[in-house]
Amino acid sequence: IPILKWGPEYNSKKLLSDTIAGFTVGLTVMPQALAYATLGGLEPQYGLYSAFAGCFVYTIFGSIKDITIGPTALMALMTYQQIVGRGTDYAILLCFLSGIVQMIMAILHLGKYHQD
């Protein structure tokens, strides 16, 4: 778990930098997430859930500090195609099952780049 490696070295200077970066990214992500949820056929609050939930999980388990995660226009359009006429519960199930597949792939080290 990467947070156990960098967590003890975290200091107030890094906290200030992360606060400024978080505020800046938050101002960008919030309207973007609202738009992507609408594009995906969901209510706007689901866009906010998807934008921030991943960030909290990535803080603990993520290994690359310079990565951006969250909803994208392509994911919104693909979700919309699957949930037309089915409702929000189906979108939540789709998201959950996608996460399960990603977790299985991570456990099995599928898709991981190895340099020999």
Side-chain angles (χ1 to χ4, degrees):
I1 300 176
I3 195 170
L4 298 176
K5 185 176 182 180
W6 61 261
E9 300 171 4
Y10 202 75
N11 57 33
S12 60
K13 183 178 179 183
K14 290 180 182 179
L15 177 63
L16 178 61
S17 297
D18 285 347
T19 302
I20 294 169
F23 185 72
T24 304
V25 170
L27 289 175
T28 304
V29 168
M30 284 192 296
Q32 183 179 6
L34 295 171
Y36 287 154
T38 304
L39 185 62
L42 300 170
E43 295 178 25
Q45 64 265 26
Y46 290 104
L48 293 177
Y49 298 150
S50 67
F52 290 109
C55 295
F56 294 127
V57 173
Y58 197 83
T59 299
I60 298 168
F61 296 108
S63 58
I64 302 171
K65 67 180 181 69
D66 299 323
I67 195 167
T68 304
I69 61 169
T72 63
L74 183 59
M75 285 192 309
L77 290 172
M78 290 173 67
T79 300
Y80 179 72
Q81 290 177 346
Q82 297 302 315
I83 69 162
V84 170
R86 293 191 173 118
T88 304
D89 292 339
Y90 195 80
I92 293 169
L93 177 62
L94 178 66
C95 180
F96 177 74
L97 292 176
S98 298
I100 294 295
V101 169
Q102 287 181 354
M103 187 167 43
I104 291 169
M105 289 178 67
I107 291 169
L108 298 175
H109 298 288
L110 300 176
K112 186 174 183 181
Y113 177 74
H114 290 283
Q115 188 174 13
D116 296 327

